[in-house]
């Protein structure tokens, strides 16, 4: 049997569904981030984020089956991601992570997820302002 992954340890698909739903609920009412999303419907963006995170943490590889290599920095080139956008994104993500209960996400897993998001948001910046 394959090794248990972070994805399995935190409750699999249901947890990633809850996390990304909470994140996009925040994006929907964020005045910095909402205008960056061209589509009226945030559902497709939510799904791409969910598939990406599931894959990153050892779950199904649906993201790459559908989208190929993530190349996230390249895919963010159309948007200015400066410190204001980074901070707005992290604010939404911190709220989303906080919405997951301690039984699902214990302290070490919460720490690992938060550290990753902070690193990823930092590395997505493509503008000094
Ligand atoms: C796509 C904004 C950081 C993962 C997008 C899109 C926007 C956006 C506007 C296009 C929406 C769409 O997919 O239709 C931002 C901003 C960030 C940020 C302002 C500030 C730091 C991140 C980070 C991650 C991430 C840190 C991963 C941990 C993704 C993914 C997509 C996406 C997976 C879909 C890519 C695809 O087309 O396959 N982002 N993002 N983003 N973002 Fe971000």
């Amino acid at each position: 049997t394959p090794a248990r992954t972070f994805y399995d340890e935190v409750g699999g698909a249901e947890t990633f569904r809850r996390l990304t739903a909470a994140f996009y609920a925040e994006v929907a009412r964020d005045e910095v981030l909402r205008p960056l999303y061209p589509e009226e419907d945030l559902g497709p963006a939510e799904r791409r984020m969910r598939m990406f995170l599931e894959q990153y943490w050892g779950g199904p590889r649906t993201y790459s089956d559908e989208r190929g290599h993530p190349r996230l920095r390249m895919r963010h080139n159309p948007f200015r991601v400066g410190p204001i956008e980074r901070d707005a994104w992290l604010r939404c993500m911190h709220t989303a992570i906080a919405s997951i209960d301690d039984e699902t996400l214990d302290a070490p897993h919460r720490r690992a997820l938060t550290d990753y998001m902070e690193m990823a948001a930092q590395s997505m910046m493509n503008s000094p302002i």
Side-chain angles (χ1 to χ4, degrees), residues 23-24 32-39 41-42 44-53 56-57 63 66-72 75-76 78-82 84-90 93 116-125:
F23 175 73
Y24 278 94
V32 174
L33 297 180
R34 186 64 187 87
L36 297 179
Y37 290 80
E39 316 258 320
D41 180 7
L42 289 176
E46 178 181 329
R47 181 166 178 277
R48 288 190 280 272
M49 172 71 95
R50 177 170 55 73
M51 292 189 305
F52 170 78
L53 291 174
Y56 180 87
W57 292 102
Y63 180 89
E66 291 190 12
R67 309 279 297 159
H69 190 285
R71 301 186 198 289
L72 285 188
R75 290 190 209 265
H76 287 76
F79 322 106
R80 184 184 70 192
V81 183
I84 294 171
E85 290 78 13
R86 175 202 60 197
D87 290 352
W89 192 96
L90 273 175
M93 188 54 79
Y116 166 75
M117 296 300 183
E118 290 174 358
M119 178 280 293
Q122 186 64 30
S123 74
M124 215 60 76
M125 282 180 56

Short mmCIF file of all heavy atoms in Angstrom, two decimals, residues 23-24 32-39 41-42 44-53 56-57 63 66-72 75-76 78-82 84-90 93 116-125, ligand 1:
data_model
loop_
_atom_site.label_atom_id
_atom_site.label_comp_id
_atom_site.label_asym_id
_atom_site.label_seq_id
_atom_site.Cartn_x
_atom_site.Cartn_y
_atom_site.Cartn_z
N PHE A 23 -11.58 29.94 1.02
CA PHE A 23 -10.66 30.91 0.43
C PHE A 23 -11.38 31.77 -0.62
O PHE A 23 -11.30 33.00 -0.59
CB PHE A 23 -9.47 30.17 -0.20
CG PHE A 23 -8.52 31.08 -0.93
CD1 PHE A 23 -7.68 31.93 -0.23
CD2 PHE A 23 -8.48 31.09 -2.32
CE1 PHE A 23 -6.80 32.78 -0.91
CE2 PHE A 23 -7.62 31.94 -3.01
CZ PHE A 23 -6.77 32.78 -2.30
N TYR A 24 -12.12 31.15 -1.52
CA TYR A 24 -12.79 31.94 -2.57
C TYR A 24 -13.98 32.75 -2.04
O TYR A 24 -14.32 33.77 -2.63
CB TYR A 24 -13.14 31.07 -3.79
CG TYR A 24 -11.92 30.95 -4.67
CD1 TYR A 24 -11.06 29.86 -4.55
CD2 TYR A 24 -11.57 31.97 -5.54
CE1 TYR A 24 -9.89 29.78 -5.31
CE2 TYR A 24 -10.41 31.91 -6.30
CZ TYR A 24 -9.58 30.81 -6.17
OH TYR A 24 -8.43 30.75 -6.91
N VAL A 32 -9.14 44.13 -3.17
CA VAL A 32 -7.89 44.06 -3.93
C VAL A 32 -7.95 42.90 -4.93
O VAL A 32 -7.60 43.04 -6.10
CB VAL A 32 -6.68 43.86 -2.99
CG1 VAL A 32 -5.39 43.62 -3.78
CG2 VAL A 32 -6.51 45.08 -2.07
N LEU A 33 -8.38 41.73 -4.47
CA LEU A 33 -8.30 40.51 -5.29
C LEU A 33 -9.44 40.33 -6.28
O LEU A 33 -9.23 39.90 -7.41
CB LEU A 33 -8.22 39.27 -4.39
CG LEU A 33 -6.98 39.19 -3.49
CD1 LEU A 33 -7.04 37.92 -2.66
CD2 LEU A 33 -5.69 39.24 -4.30
N ARG A 34 -10.66 40.67 -5.85
CA ARG A 34 -11.81 40.35 -6.71
C ARG A 34 -11.67 40.90 -8.13
O ARG A 34 -11.96 40.20 -9.10
CB ARG A 34 -13.13 40.80 -6.05
CG ARG A 34 -14.37 40.37 -6.82
CD ARG A 34 -14.48 38.85 -6.85
NE ARG A 34 -15.55 38.32 -7.70
CZ ARG A 34 -15.42 38.07 -9.00
NH1 ARG A 34 -14.30 38.37 -9.65
NH2 ARG A 34 -16.42 37.52 -9.69
N PRO A 35 -11.19 42.17 -8.28
CA PRO A 35 -11.08 42.73 -9.64
C PRO A 35 -10.07 42.01 -10.53
O PRO A 35 -10.11 42.17 -11.75
CB PRO A 35 -10.64 44.17 -9.39
CG PRO A 35 -10.95 44.46 -7.97
CD PRO A 35 -10.84 43.16 -7.25
N LEU A 36 -9.15 41.24 -9.93
CA LEU A 36 -8.15 40.54 -10.75
C LEU A 36 -8.76 39.36 -11.50
O LEU A 36 -8.21 38.90 -12.49
CB LEU A 36 -7.02 40.00 -9.87
CG LEU A 36 -6.16 41.02 -9.12
CD1 LEU A 36 -5.11 40.30 -8.30
CD2 LEU A 36 -5.50 41.98 -10.09
N TYR A 37 -9.87 38.86 -10.98
CA TYR A 37 -10.47 37.68 -11.60
C TYR A 37 -11.44 38.12 -12.68
O TYR A 37 -12.44 38.79 -12.39
CB TYR A 37 -11.19 36.82 -10.55
CG TYR A 37 -10.20 36.14 -9.63
CD1 TYR A 37 -9.62 36.82 -8.57
CD2 TYR A 37 -9.83 34.82 -9.85
CE1 TYR A 37 -8.70 36.21 -7.74
CE2 TYR A 37 -8.91 34.20 -9.02
CZ TYR A 37 -8.34 34.89 -7.97
OH TYR A 37 -7.43 34.29 -7.15
N PRO A 38 -11.11 37.81 -13.94
CA PRO A 38 -11.90 38.32 -15.06
C PRO A 38 -13.32 37.76 -15.11
O PRO A 38 -14.22 38.43 -15.59
CB PRO A 38 -11.10 37.88 -16.30
CG PRO A 38 -10.24 36.75 -15.83
CD PRO A 38 -9.99 36.97 -14.38
N GLU A 39 -13.49 36.54 -14.62
CA GLU A 39 -14.79 35.89 -14.75
C GLU A 39 -15.74 36.30 -13.63
O GLU A 39 -15.32 36.48 -12.49
CB GLU A 39 -14.63 34.37 -14.70
CG GLU A 39 -13.48 33.84 -15.53
CD GLU A 39 -13.94 33.25 -16.85
OE1 GLU A 39 -14.98 32.58 -16.85
OE2 GLU A 39 -13.26 33.49 -17.87
N ASP A 41 -17.98 34.26 -12.52
CA ASP A 41 -18.10 33.04 -11.72
C ASP A 41 -16.70 32.62 -11.22
O ASP A 41 -15.82 32.31 -12.02
CB ASP A 41 -18.69 31.95 -12.62
CG ASP A 41 -18.85 30.62 -11.88
OD1 ASP A 41 -18.65 30.58 -10.65
OD2 ASP A 41 -19.18 29.63 -12.56
N LEU A 42 -16.52 32.63 -9.90
CA LEU A 42 -15.24 32.22 -9.33
C LEU A 42 -15.11 30.69 -9.25
O LEU A 42 -14.05 30.18 -8.90
CB LEU A 42 -15.05 32.82 -7.94
CG LEU A 42 -14.80 34.33 -7.88
CD1 LEU A 42 -14.72 34.82 -6.43
CD2 LEU A 42 -13.51 34.70 -8.61
N PRO A 44 -14.78 28.16 -11.47
CA PRO A 44 -13.67 27.51 -12.19
C PRO A 44 -12.30 27.80 -11.56
O PRO A 44 -11.45 26.92 -11.51
CB PRO A 44 -13.78 28.10 -13.60
CG PRO A 44 -15.23 28.48 -13.74
CD PRO A 44 -15.64 28.96 -12.37
N ALA A 45 -12.09 29.03 -11.10
CA ALA A 45 -10.82 29.36 -10.44
C ALA A 45 -10.68 28.56 -9.14
O ALA A 45 -9.60 28.04 -8.83
CB ALA A 45 -10.75 30.86 -10.16
N GLU A 46 -11.78 28.43 -8.42
CA GLU A 46 -11.76 27.65 -7.18
C GLU A 46 -11.39 26.20 -7.47
O GLU A 46 -10.59 25.59 -6.76
CB GLU A 46 -13.14 27.73 -6.50
CG GLU A 46 -13.22 26.91 -5.22
CD GLU A 46 -14.60 26.98 -4.57
OE1 GLU A 46 -15.28 28.02 -4.69
OE2 GLU A 46 -14.99 25.98 -3.95
N ARG A 47 -11.96 25.66 -8.53
CA ARG A 47 -11.68 24.27 -8.88
C ARG A 47 -10.21 24.07 -9.26
O ARG A 47 -9.57 23.10 -8.85
CB ARG A 47 -12.60 23.85 -10.03
CG ARG A 47 -12.40 22.41 -10.43
CD ARG A 47 -13.53 21.90 -11.32
NE ARG A 47 -13.22 20.52 -11.70
CZ ARG A 47 -12.42 20.20 -12.71
NH1 ARG A 47 -11.86 21.14 -13.46
NH2 ARG A 47 -12.16 18.92 -12.97
N ARG A 48 -9.63 25.01 -10.04
CA ARG A 48 -8.22 24.89 -10.43
C ARG A 48 -7.32 24.95 -9.19
O ARG A 48 -6.36 24.18 -9.07
CB ARG A 48 -7.84 26.00 -11.41
CG ARG A 48 -8.45 25.79 -12.78
CD ARG A 48 -7.86 26.74 -13.81
NE ARG A 48 -8.46 28.07 -13.74
CZ ARG A 48 -9.55 28.43 -14.40
NH1 ARG A 48 -10.16 27.57 -15.19
NH2 ARG A 48 -10.03 29.65 -14.29
N MET A 49 -7.64 25.84 -8.26
CA MET A 49 -6.86 25.95 -7.02
C MET A 49 -6.98 24.66 -6.20
O MET A 49 -5.99 24.14 -5.69
CB MET A 49 -7.35 27.14 -6.21
CG MET A 49 -6.74 27.23 -4.84
SD MET A 49 -5.02 27.70 -4.92
CE MET A 49 -5.22 29.45 -4.69
N ARG A 50 -8.19 24.13 -6.10
CA ARG A 50 -8.40 22.90 -5.33
C ARG A 50 -7.61 21.74 -5.93
O ARG A 50 -6.91 21.02 -5.22
CB ARG A 50 -9.90 22.57 -5.29
CG ARG A 50 -10.21 21.27 -4.56
CD ARG A 50 -11.69 21.07 -4.30
NE ARG A 50 -12.53 21.15 -5.49
CZ ARG A 50 -12.60 20.21 -6.45
NH1 ARG A 50 -11.86 19.11 -6.38
NH2 ARG A 50 -13.39 20.38 -7.49
N MET A 51 -7.70 21.59 -7.25
CA MET A 51 -6.96 20.50 -7.91
C MET A 51 -5.46 20.66 -7.73
O MET A 51 -4.75 19.68 -7.50
CB MET A 51 -7.27 20.47 -9.41
CG MET A 51 -8.70 20.07 -9.74
SD MET A 51 -8.91 19.82 -11.53
CE MET A 51 -8.35 21.38 -12.20
N PHE A 52 -4.98 21.91 -7.83
CA PHE A 52 -3.55 22.15 -7.65
C PHE A 52 -3.10 21.76 -6.25
O PHE A 52 -2.10 21.05 -6.07
CB PHE A 52 -3.19 23.62 -7.94
CG PHE A 52 -1.78 23.92 -7.53
CD1 PHE A 52 -0.72 23.53 -8.34
CD2 PHE A 52 -1.51 24.52 -6.30
CE1 PHE A 52 0.60 23.75 -7.94
CE2 PHE A 52 -0.20 24.74 -5.90
CZ PHE A 52 0.85 24.36 -6.72
N LEU A 53 -3.83 22.23 -5.24
CA LEU A 53 -3.43 21.95 -3.85
C LEU A 53 -3.53 20.46 -3.53
O LEU A 53 -2.66 19.91 -2.85
CB LEU A 53 -4.27 22.78 -2.88
CG LEU A 53 -4.02 24.29 -2.90
CD1 LEU A 53 -5.00 25.00 -1.99
CD2 LEU A 53 -2.57 24.61 -2.48
N TYR A 56 -0.46 18.94 -5.07
CA TYR A 56 0.76 19.34 -4.36
C TYR A 56 0.95 18.53 -3.08
O TYR A 56 2.06 18.11 -2.75
CB TYR A 56 0.74 20.84 -4.05
CG TYR A 56 1.99 21.26 -3.31
CD1 TYR A 56 3.14 21.63 -4.01
CD2 TYR A 56 2.05 21.25 -1.91
CE1 TYR A 56 4.30 21.97 -3.34
CE2 TYR A 56 3.21 21.59 -1.25
CZ TYR A 56 4.33 21.94 -1.97
OH TYR A 56 5.49 22.26 -1.30
N TRP A 57 -0.16 18.28 -2.37
CA TRP A 57 -0.07 17.61 -1.06
C TRP A 57 -0.25 16.10 -1.13
O TRP A 57 -0.51 15.45 -0.12
CB TRP A 57 -1.07 18.24 -0.08
CG TRP A 57 -0.70 19.65 0.27
CD1 TRP A 57 -1.25 20.80 -0.21
CD2 TRP A 57 0.34 20.07 1.18
NE1 TRP A 57 -0.62 21.90 0.32
CE2 TRP A 57 0.36 21.49 1.17
CE3 TRP A 57 1.27 19.39 1.98
CZ2 TRP A 57 1.26 22.24 1.95
CZ3 TRP A 57 2.16 20.13 2.75
CH2 TRP A 57 2.15 21.54 2.73
N TYR A 63 -5.02 17.94 -11.54
CA TYR A 63 -4.57 19.26 -12.03
C TYR A 63 -3.70 19.09 -13.26
O TYR A 63 -3.98 19.65 -14.32
CB TYR A 63 -3.82 20.06 -10.95
CG TYR A 63 -3.38 21.40 -11.49
CD1 TYR A 63 -4.21 22.52 -11.43
CD2 TYR A 63 -2.16 21.53 -12.17
CE1 TYR A 63 -3.82 23.73 -11.99
CE2 TYR A 63 -1.77 22.72 -12.74
CZ TYR A 63 -2.60 23.82 -12.65
OH TYR A 63 -2.23 25.02 -13.22
N GLU A 66 -5.25 17.76 -16.45
CA GLU A 66 -6.05 18.74 -17.19
C GLU A 66 -5.26 19.95 -17.67
O GLU A 66 -5.54 20.51 -18.73
CB GLU A 66 -7.21 19.26 -16.31
CG GLU A 66 -8.26 18.22 -16.04
CD GLU A 66 -9.51 18.80 -15.38
OE1 GLU A 66 -9.64 20.05 -15.33
OE2 GLU A 66 -10.33 18.00 -14.91
N ARG A 67 -4.27 20.37 -16.87
CA ARG A 67 -3.63 21.67 -17.12
C ARG A 67 -2.15 21.56 -17.47
O ARG A 67 -1.54 22.57 -17.81
CB ARG A 67 -3.76 22.59 -15.88
CG ARG A 67 -5.16 22.73 -15.33
CD ARG A 67 -6.01 23.72 -16.06
NE ARG A 67 -5.56 25.09 -16.02
CZ ARG A 67 -5.94 26.01 -16.92
NH1 ARG A 67 -6.78 25.67 -17.88
NH2 ARG A 67 -5.51 27.24 -16.80
N GLY A 68 -1.56 20.36 -17.32
CA GLY A 68 -0.13 20.21 -17.56
C GLY A 68 0.68 20.69 -16.37
O GLY A 68 0.16 20.79 -15.25
N HIS A 69 1.97 20.97 -16.60
CA HIS A 69 2.84 21.42 -15.50
C HIS A 69 2.25 22.70 -14.90
O HIS A 69 1.82 23.58 -15.64
CB HIS A 69 4.24 21.68 -16.06
CG HIS A 69 5.26 21.90 -14.99
ND1 HIS A 69 5.34 23.09 -14.29
CD2 HIS A 69 6.21 21.10 -14.48
CE1 HIS A 69 6.31 23.00 -13.40
NE2 HIS A 69 6.86 21.80 -13.49
N PRO A 70 2.25 22.82 -13.57
CA PRO A 70 1.61 24.00 -12.96
C PRO A 70 2.18 25.35 -13.43
O PRO A 70 1.40 26.25 -13.74
CB PRO A 70 1.87 23.79 -11.46
CG PRO A 70 1.97 22.31 -11.29
CD PRO A 70 2.61 21.80 -12.55
N ARG A 71 3.51 25.50 -13.53
CA ARG A 71 4.11 26.78 -13.97
C ARG A 71 3.34 27.97 -13.40
O ARG A 71 2.90 28.87 -14.12
CB ARG A 71 4.07 26.91 -15.50
CG ARG A 71 4.82 25.79 -16.22
CD ARG A 71 4.87 26.03 -17.74
NE ARG A 71 5.21 24.81 -18.45
CZ ARG A 71 6.41 24.24 -18.43
NH1 ARG A 71 7.42 24.81 -17.78
NH2 ARG A 71 6.62 23.11 -19.08
N LEU A 72 3.22 27.98 -12.09
CA LEU A 72 2.35 28.98 -11.47
C LEU A 72 2.85 30.41 -11.63
O LEU A 72 2.06 31.32 -11.82
CB LEU A 72 2.13 28.66 -9.99
CG LEU A 72 1.17 27.49 -9.70
CD1 LEU A 72 0.89 27.42 -8.22
CD2 LEU A 72 -0.12 27.61 -10.49
N ARG A 75 1.82 31.50 -15.00
CA ARG A 75 0.38 31.70 -15.10
C ARG A 75 -0.09 32.96 -14.37
O ARG A 75 -1.19 33.43 -14.59
CB ARG A 75 -0.37 30.47 -14.56
CG ARG A 75 -0.24 29.24 -15.44
CD ARG A 75 -1.18 28.17 -14.97
NE ARG A 75 -0.74 26.82 -15.23
CZ ARG A 75 -1.09 26.09 -16.30
NH1 ARG A 75 -1.86 26.60 -17.22
NH2 ARG A 75 -0.65 24.85 -16.42
N HIS A 76 0.74 33.48 -13.48
CA HIS A 76 0.38 34.71 -12.77
C HIS A 76 0.94 35.96 -13.44
O HIS A 76 0.65 37.07 -13.00
CB HIS A 76 0.81 34.64 -11.30
CG HIS A 76 -0.06 33.72 -10.50
ND1 HIS A 76 0.04 32.36 -10.56
CD2 HIS A 76 -1.07 33.97 -9.63
CE1 HIS A 76 -0.87 31.80 -9.77
NE2 HIS A 76 -1.56 32.75 -9.20
N PRO A 78 0.06 37.55 -16.07
CA PRO A 78 -0.93 38.55 -16.50
C PRO A 78 -1.41 39.48 -15.38
O PRO A 78 -2.01 40.51 -15.66
CB PRO A 78 -2.10 37.71 -17.01
CG PRO A 78 -1.55 36.35 -17.26
CD PRO A 78 -0.40 36.18 -16.33
N PHE A 79 -1.17 39.11 -14.13
CA PHE A 79 -1.65 39.91 -13.01
C PHE A 79 -0.46 40.51 -12.28
O PHE A 79 0.55 39.84 -12.09
CB PHE A 79 -2.44 39.05 -12.01
CG PHE A 79 -3.28 38.02 -12.68
CD1 PHE A 79 -2.93 36.68 -12.66
CD2 PHE A 79 -4.42 38.40 -13.37
CE1 PHE A 79 -3.70 35.72 -13.30
CE2 PHE A 79 -5.19 37.45 -14.02
CZ PHE A 79 -4.84 36.11 -13.98
N ARG A 80 -0.61 41.76 -11.86
CA ARG A 80 0.44 42.31 -11.01
C ARG A 80 0.28 41.71 -9.62
O ARG A 80 -0.77 41.84 -9.00
CB ARG A 80 0.35 43.83 -10.93
CG ARG A 80 1.52 44.38 -10.10
CD ARG A 80 1.44 45.87 -9.90
NE ARG A 80 0.34 46.22 -8.99
CZ ARG A 80 -0.10 47.46 -8.82
NH1 ARG A 80 0.45 48.46 -9.49
NH2 ARG A 80 -1.08 47.69 -7.98
N VAL A 81 1.34 41.05 -9.14
CA VAL A 81 1.33 40.53 -7.78
C VAL A 81 2.46 41.25 -7.03
O VAL A 81 3.63 40.87 -7.10
CB VAL A 81 1.53 39.01 -7.72
CG1 VAL A 81 1.44 38.53 -6.27
CG2 VAL A 81 0.49 38.27 -8.57
N GLY A 82 2.09 42.34 -6.38
CA GLY A 82 3.01 43.09 -5.53
C GLY A 82 2.69 42.79 -4.07
O GLY A 82 1.88 41.89 -3.78
N ILE A 84 0.86 44.31 -1.94
CA ILE A 84 -0.55 44.50 -1.55
C ILE A 84 -1.38 43.28 -1.93
O ILE A 84 -2.18 42.78 -1.14
CB ILE A 84 -1.11 45.80 -2.19
CG1 ILE A 84 -0.39 47.00 -1.58
CG2 ILE A 84 -2.62 45.90 -2.01
CD1 ILE A 84 -0.69 48.32 -2.26
N GLU A 85 -1.12 42.76 -3.16
CA GLU A 85 -1.84 41.57 -3.62
C GLU A 85 -1.42 40.35 -2.81
O GLU A 85 -2.25 39.53 -2.41
CB GLU A 85 -1.56 41.33 -5.12
CG GLU A 85 -2.21 42.36 -6.04
CD GLU A 85 -1.46 43.68 -6.10
OE1 GLU A 85 -0.30 43.76 -5.64
OE2 GLU A 85 -2.05 44.67 -6.60
N ARG A 86 -0.12 40.23 -2.55
CA ARG A 86 0.37 39.10 -1.73
C ARG A 86 -0.30 39.10 -0.36
O ARG A 86 -0.77 38.07 0.12
CB ARG A 86 1.89 39.19 -1.57
CG ARG A 86 2.47 38.12 -0.63
CD ARG A 86 3.82 38.53 -0.07
NE ARG A 86 3.72 39.77 0.68
CZ ARG A 86 4.77 40.55 1.00
NH1 ARG A 86 5.99 40.21 0.63
NH2 ARG A 86 4.59 41.66 1.70
N ASP A 87 -0.32 40.27 0.26
CA ASP A 87 -0.90 40.35 1.61
C ASP A 87 -2.40 40.05 1.60
O ASP A 87 -2.92 39.40 2.51
CB ASP A 87 -0.65 41.72 2.23
CG ASP A 87 0.82 41.94 2.58
OD1 ASP A 87 1.62 40.97 2.50
OD2 ASP A 87 1.18 43.08 2.94
N ALA A 88 -3.09 40.53 0.56
CA ALA A 88 -4.54 40.26 0.45
C ALA A 88 -4.78 38.76 0.27
O ALA A 88 -5.68 38.18 0.89
CB ALA A 88 -5.12 41.05 -0.73
N TRP A 89 -3.96 38.17 -0.59
CA TRP A 89 -4.09 36.72 -0.84
C TRP A 89 -3.86 35.93 0.46
O TRP A 89 -4.62 35.03 0.80
CB TRP A 89 -3.08 36.31 -1.91
CG TRP A 89 -3.26 34.94 -2.49
CD1 TRP A 89 -3.92 34.63 -3.64
CD2 TRP A 89 -2.77 33.70 -1.95
NE1 TRP A 89 -3.86 33.26 -3.85
CE2 TRP A 89 -3.16 32.67 -2.83
CE3 TRP A 89 -2.03 33.37 -0.82
CZ2 TRP A 89 -2.85 31.33 -2.62
CZ3 TRP A 89 -1.72 32.03 -0.59
CH2 TRP A 89 -2.13 31.03 -1.48
N LEU A 90 -2.80 36.32 1.19
CA LEU A 90 -2.49 35.61 2.44
C LEU A 90 -3.56 35.83 3.50
O LEU A 90 -3.87 34.92 4.27
CB LEU A 90 -1.13 36.05 2.98
CG LEU A 90 0.07 35.28 2.42
CD1 LEU A 90 1.37 35.88 2.94
CD2 LEU A 90 -0.01 33.79 2.78
N MET A 93 -6.20 33.45 2.68
CA MET A 93 -5.78 32.07 2.95
C MET A 93 -5.71 31.80 4.45
O MET A 93 -6.10 30.72 4.92
CB MET A 93 -4.45 31.79 2.26
CG MET A 93 -4.03 30.34 2.33
SD MET A 93 -5.27 29.15 1.72
CE MET A 93 -5.07 29.28 -0.07
N TYR A 116 3.77 26.74 3.96
CA TYR A 116 3.79 26.59 2.51
C TYR A 116 3.10 27.77 1.83
O TYR A 116 3.62 28.34 0.85
CB TYR A 116 3.11 25.28 2.09
CG TYR A 116 2.81 25.26 0.62
CD1 TYR A 116 3.84 25.06 -0.30
CD2 TYR A 116 1.52 25.51 0.15
CE1 TYR A 116 3.58 25.09 -1.66
CE2 TYR A 116 1.26 25.54 -1.21
CZ TYR A 116 2.29 25.34 -2.11
OH TYR A 116 2.03 25.40 -3.46
N MET A 117 1.94 28.17 2.34
CA MET A 117 1.19 29.26 1.72
C MET A 117 1.98 30.56 1.78
O MET A 117 1.97 31.35 0.82
CB MET A 117 -0.18 29.43 2.39
CG MET A 117 -1.11 28.25 2.23
SD MET A 117 -1.50 27.87 0.51
CE MET A 117 -2.65 26.51 0.75
N GLU A 118 2.67 30.79 2.89
CA GLU A 118 3.46 32.02 3.02
C GLU A 118 4.62 32.02 2.03
O GLU A 118 4.90 33.02 1.37
CB GLU A 118 3.90 32.21 4.48
CG GLU A 118 2.68 32.55 5.34
CD GLU A 118 2.94 32.64 6.84
OE1 GLU A 118 4.08 32.40 7.28
OE2 GLU A 118 1.96 32.96 7.56
N MET A 119 5.28 30.87 1.91
CA MET A 119 6.38 30.73 0.96
C MET A 119 5.86 30.91 -0.48
O MET A 119 6.44 31.64 -1.28
CB MET A 119 7.03 29.35 1.17
CG MET A 119 8.17 28.98 0.24
SD MET A 119 7.62 28.41 -1.39
CE MET A 119 6.81 26.86 -0.98
N ALA A 120 4.74 30.25 -0.78
CA ALA A 120 4.21 30.28 -2.15
C ALA A 120 3.77 31.70 -2.54
O ALA A 120 4.04 32.16 -3.65
CB ALA A 120 3.05 29.30 -2.29
N ALA A 121 3.10 32.39 -1.62
CA ALA A 121 2.63 33.75 -1.91
C ALA A 121 3.82 34.67 -2.15
O ALA A 121 3.81 35.52 -3.06
CB ALA A 121 1.76 34.27 -0.78
N GLN A 122 4.86 34.50 -1.35
CA GLN A 122 6.08 35.30 -1.51
C GLN A 122 6.69 35.05 -2.89
O GLN A 122 7.07 35.97 -3.61
CB GLN A 122 7.07 34.96 -0.39
CG GLN A 122 8.31 35.81 -0.36
CD GLN A 122 8.03 37.28 -0.07
OE1 GLN A 122 7.06 37.60 0.63
NE2 GLN A 122 8.86 38.16 -0.61
N SER A 123 6.76 33.77 -3.27
CA SER A 123 7.43 33.43 -4.52
C SER A 123 6.59 33.79 -5.75
O SER A 123 7.10 33.79 -6.87
CB SER A 123 7.80 31.95 -4.54
OG SER A 123 6.65 31.17 -4.74
N MET A 124 5.31 34.10 -5.55
CA MET A 124 4.45 34.47 -6.68
C MET A 124 4.57 35.95 -7.03
O MET A 124 4.07 36.41 -8.06
CB MET A 124 2.99 34.14 -6.36
CG MET A 124 2.18 33.66 -7.55
SD MET A 124 2.86 32.19 -8.27
CE MET A 124 2.34 30.98 -7.07
N MET A 125 5.26 36.72 -6.19
CA MET A 125 5.36 38.16 -6.45
C MET A 125 6.13 38.40 -7.74
O MET A 125 7.15 37.79 -7.99
CB MET A 125 6.02 38.87 -5.27
CG MET A 125 5.05 39.07 -4.12
SD MET A 125 5.77 39.89 -2.69
CE MET A 125 6.36 41.37 -3.40
C1 LIG B 1 -4.80 31.49 -10.77
C2 LIG B 1 -4.24 35.64 -8.38
C3 LIG B 1 -1.09 33.51 -5.44
C4 LIG B 1 -2.43 29.24 -7.25
C5 LIG B 1 -4.90 32.81 -10.39
C6 LIG B 1 -5.70 33.81 -11.07
C7 LIG B 1 -5.54 34.96 -10.39
C8 LIG B 1 -4.66 34.71 -9.29
C9 LIG B 1 -6.19 36.30 -10.70
C10 LIG B 1 -6.53 33.58 -12.34
C11 LIG B 1 -7.83 32.98 -11.96
C12 LIG B 1 -8.14 31.71 -12.71
O1 LIG B 1 -7.52 30.67 -12.46
O2 LIG B 1 -9.05 31.77 -13.51
C13 LIG B 1 -3.29 35.44 -7.39
C14 LIG B 1 -2.73 36.48 -6.55
C15 LIG B 1 -1.83 35.89 -5.71
C16 LIG B 1 -1.83 34.46 -6.05
C17 LIG B 1 -3.07 37.96 -6.57
C18 LIG B 1 -1.01 36.63 -4.67
C19 LIG B 1 0.05 36.12 -4.06
C20 LIG B 1 -1.20 32.16 -5.63
C21 LIG B 1 -0.54 31.14 -4.87
C22 LIG B 1 -0.93 29.93 -5.37
C23 LIG B 1 -1.83 30.19 -6.46
C24 LIG B 1 0.42 31.42 -3.71
C25 LIG B 1 -0.59 28.55 -4.92
C26 LIG B 1 -0.29 28.22 -3.70
C27 LIG B 1 -3.16 29.48 -8.37
C28 LIG B 1 -3.63 28.45 -9.28
C29 LIG B 1 -4.28 29.10 -10.32
C30 LIG B 1 -4.23 30.53 -10.00
C31 LIG B 1 -3.44 26.95 -9.12
C32 LIG B 1 -4.91 28.45 -11.55
C33 LIG B 1 -3.78 28.26 -12.58
C34 LIG B 1 -4.27 27.61 -13.85
O3 LIG B 1 -4.73 28.33 -14.72
O4 LIG B 1 -4.19 26.38 -13.95
N1 LIG B 1 -4.28 33.39 -9.31
N2 LIG B 1 -2.74 34.24 -7.06
N3 LIG B 1 -1.97 31.55 -6.59
N4 LIG B 1 -3.53 30.72 -8.85
FE1 LIG B 1 -3.13 32.46 -7.98
#
